[in-house]
Amino acid sequence: MSASQAGRRGFEPHHPLFFIVMKVVAITKSSPFYGEITPGADLVAVNGHPVSDEIDFHFYNTEDKLRLDFFIDGKKKIIKIDDAYACGDLGLEFEKTKIKICNNNCIFCFVHQQPKGMRRSLYIKDDDYRFSFTHGNFISLSGMTEADFARIIEQRLSPLYISVHSTDDKLRRCIFQNEKLPRIIPALKKLTSNGITVHTQTVICTGINDGEHLERTIEDLALLYPGVSSLAVVPVGLTKYRKRLPDLRSYSGKEADQIVKFIHKTQKRFQKLIKTRFVYAADEFYLLAGRKFPPLSEYEDMPQFENGIGMARQFITGFNRRKRWLPGEHSAKLRIGIVTGRSAERFMKSAVMPAIDRIRNLKTSLYVVDNEFWGDTVTVTGLLTGGDILKRIRNNKQDVLLLPPNCLNTDDLFLDNLTLDEFTKMVGCPVLTGSYDLVKLIRRAFEMRNS
């Protein structure tokens, strides 16, 4: 029975073991439940609706009058609130939701291209529609039940981000290596016809789902616009850890150039037909092709920014708009090292470094880091390890080092589990990170040295 079905039938919880529940791990002192329940209590229902995660909790607690059903040490406890709006934040912190794991075996799955000994989170194959809604993670719709679709529609979990890769179902099942993968177009129609907005991606592999297959995928998905709101075309990412995996190769510069030309031609046609460019090529294709990035306006409302679509252009445009705030000189001699990946080298040297190098008393060194850990086919800054950066800046003599923001996670850990504190000690100078605004980082470096 789905949560929505149970709620409509007047759900009455009897024992938590029969339901997915939410375990309370902390309660703030300002919470109306403080003193009423303790950490370890299981929240089973809100206003008669069973709850399994924070999406359920927030969806069903929007009414002024609330009834919450808890189980504490196997005993039921009901708490009613007559004026929830006056209470503000209910002050409950719950145990983290367990992620629904992918049951596919994609031919280019990045999880399978990693060595042993990395941090545990890097081996998680997420295919959870809830995290697609809350974090923009791409999902396959594999393993989705009718109850899942019903919940998405009822709770308006929109937008969602879906990996299509091909609208040819036979080819798609081959790419995902899952013969039970449901048909993609009917699934998308089910969502979009019920008001759910979808952003899609196709990771293309040479000779597999590019060429005429890519053309068909683009056309099929564009027919579902505006429900299917955008499509990202992304090149396959390959590491050196591919033993016993399908034989794939990276795109050449010439092939990348042809793909970009095709995408631009298709965008112009869609602008006339549906008033949007709809399909976008990943920044990596422009870098591989040695092409300039399109103007920022051509990325429209940046629907696929976190997927590497328009990220480089926004960085360059943002720097150009703010570079007038760079000082003409520093009061004393200062040495700043700027770390970047191989893919960003060209535009960093041409569009960024000349403006920084004009600052008097400032000496800058651009450290372009080769990715020895994953292999030379991986060139983006987001996959740089602390170890590879340390190798590149060996014998560092900088006063301040600037790191790209996406090579650390929220816990300040590099991909190889090196902490920022450990890295800073090894470098022997202050390290600044955490902003796509390079001008702001440089000004922070100046302030640090002047204080």
Side-chain angles (χ1 to χ4, degrees):
M1 181 186 298
S2 72
S4 56
Q5 290 171 328
R8 286 193 293 269
R9 295 181 186 180
F11 170 74
E12 179 66 28
H14 297 291
H15 195 284
L17 294 179
F18 293 102
F19 302 95
I20 299 174
V21 299
M22 299 181 66
K23 187 171 292 294
V24 177
V25 295
I27 308 161
T28 63
K29 289 186 178 180
S30 60
S31 170
F33 305 106
Y34 191 76
E36 293 288 332
I37 61 171
T38 56
D42 291 325
L43 175 63
V44 182
V46 176
N47 283 356
H49 299 276
V51 290
S52 59
D53 53 42
E54 292 204 41
I55 296 175
D56 275 342
F57 178 68
H58 291 299
F59 183 77
Y60 291 120
N61 74 12
T62 55
E63 298 178 24
D64 194 25
K65 293 183 180 294
L66 295 178
R67 164 183 160 159
L68 283 80
D69 292 74
F70 293 92
F71 274 87
I72 304 173
D73 296 328
K75 295 181 180 179
K76 184 175 177 181
K77 183 177 180 70
I78 297 172
I79 299 177
K80 294 182 179 181
I81 299 175
D82 292 328
D83 190 0
Y85 295 139
C87 295
D89 184 7
L90 295 180
L92 295 178
E93 181 182 338
F94 299 98
E95 190 174 65
K96 289 185 179 180
T97 302
K98 290 183 179 180
I99 297 175
K100 293 183 178 180
I101 301 302
C102 179
N103 62 359
N104 303 303
N105 191 29
C106 290
I107 59 175
F108 47 72
C109 179
F110 198 80
V111 172
H112 297 159
Q113 300 182 69
Q114 299 185 81
K116 296 179 179 179
M118 306 293 285
R119 63 173 178 263
R120 187 179 177 186
S121 61
L122 295 176
Y123 301 101
I124 296 174
K125 293 171 61 178
D126 166 27
D127 199 17
D128 196 318
Y129 67 86
R130 297 168 300 177
F131 288 87
S132 182
F133 170 64
T134 58
H135 293 78
N137 296 3
F138 278 89
I139 57 173
S140 69
L141 298 182
S142 173
M144 291 277 290
T145 65
E146 287 301 318
D148 292 330
F149 279 104
R151 182 190 179 191
I152 290 169
I153 293 164
E154 179 192 10
Q155 297 184 356
R156 316 303 288 178
L157 304 186
S158 177
L160 294 179
Y161 296 79
I162 297 174
S163 291
V164 174
H165 303 325
S166 174
T167 52
D168 180 323
D169 288 313
K170 184 177 180 180
L171 176 57
R172 188 168 187 261
R173 288 168 185 143
C174 181
I175 292 169
F176 282 92
Q177 296 194 76
N178 181 355
E179 288 300 320
K180 296 182 179 179
L181 200 66
R183 295 174 62 203
I184 187 61
I185 293 299
L188 293 174
K189 285 182 177 179
K190 181 182 295 187
L191 293 170
T192 56
S193 64
N194 283 283
I196 304 301
T197 297
V198 170
H199 296 284
T200 58
Q201 74 165 352
T202 174
V203 175
I204 57 173
C205 308
T206 54
I208 296 177
N209 61 333
D210 54 3
E212 62 182 18
H213 292 294
L214 176 60
E215 291 183 36
R216 175 181 168 181
T217 296
I218 294 171
E219 297 302 323
D220 287 346
L221 294 176
L223 289 173
L224 298 180
Y225 180 83
V228 173
S229 184
S230 70
L231 169 63
V233 179
V234 181
V236 63
L238 305 174
T239 79
K240 65 183 182 182
Y241 303 102
R242 289 196 58 81
K243 289 183 179 179
R244 295 183 293 277
L245 292 177
D247 186 21
L248 301 173
R249 69 170 178 85
S250 300
Y251 281 93
S252 68
K254 183 178 180 180
E255 290 168 330
D257 189 65
Q258 292 172 341
I259 289 167
V260 171
K261 285 180 181 177
F262 167 67
I263 296 296
H264 285 181
K265 181 180 177 181
T266 306
Q267 286 179 330
K268 289 179 181 179
R269 180 164 55 86
F270 283 158
Q271 276 189 291
K272 293 179 181 179
L273 291 173
I274 55 178
K275 311 303 180 186
T276 179
R277 290 172 178 81
F278 180 73
V279 59
Y280 304 89
D283 291 358
E284 292 167 77
F285 277 122
Y286 292 93
L287 293 166
L288 281 170
R291 279 175 164 260
K292 289 183 177 181
F293 298 105
L296 194 62
S297 61
E298 292 192 12
Y299 291 97
E300 299 181 13
D301 60 351
M302 289 285 188
Q304 301 258 5
F305 180 79
E306 295 297 333
N307 203 12
I309 310 288
M311 195 174 283
R313 170 47 68 195
Q314 187 177 81
F315 175 84
I316 295 168
T317 301
F319 178 82
N320 287 335
R321 288 173 178 173
R322 299 182 187 99
K323 65 184 179 183
R324 67 181 184 274
W325 299 108
L326 288 171
E329 69 175 305
H330 190 249
S331 57
K333 290 184 178 180
L334 178 65
R335 298 166 299 179
I336 294 180
I338 301 174
V339 174
T340 191
R342 185 60 65 182
S343 63
E345 177 183 13
R346 180 171 55 85
F347 70 78
M348 285 294 293
K349 286 183 175 178
S350 62
V352 176
M353 297 308 295
I356 298 173
D357 289 339
R358 285 197 290 266
I359 302 172
R360 292 183 294 277
N361 280 335
L362 174 66
K363 182 180 180 181
T364 55
S365 298
L366 183 67
Y367 291 116
V368 182
V369 182
D370 288 316
N371 202 320
E372 295 181 23
F373 186 87
W374 300 106
D376 58 11
T377 57
V378 178
T379 60
V380 296
T381 58
L383 290 174
L384 290 178
T385 62
D388 279 344
I389 296 173
L390 286 170
K391 289 177 187 177
R392 177 65 181 86
I393 61 173
R394 191 181 292 114
N395 301 321
N396 168 60
K397 295 181 180 179
Q398 306 302 319
D399 297 311
V400 182
L401 189 70
L402 308 185
L403 287 181
N406 54 358
C407 63
L408 293 166
N409 70 2
T410 54
D411 296 320
D412 281 342
L413 276 176
F414 290 91
L415 285 168
D416 52 0
N417 266 350
L418 188 69
T419 69
L420 181 58
D421 285 343
E422 292 168 339
F423 178 86
T424 302
K425 289 177 183 177
M426 295 178 190
V427 170
C429 73
V431 176
L432 295 180
T433 187
S435 174
Y436 283 99
D437 185 346
L438 185 56
V439 171
K440 184 178 180 180
L441 271 187
I442 292 172
R443 289 172 65 88
R444 279 178 59 195
F446 283 9
E447 291 166 3
M448 179 182 294
R449 296 298 293 176
N450 290 333
S451 62

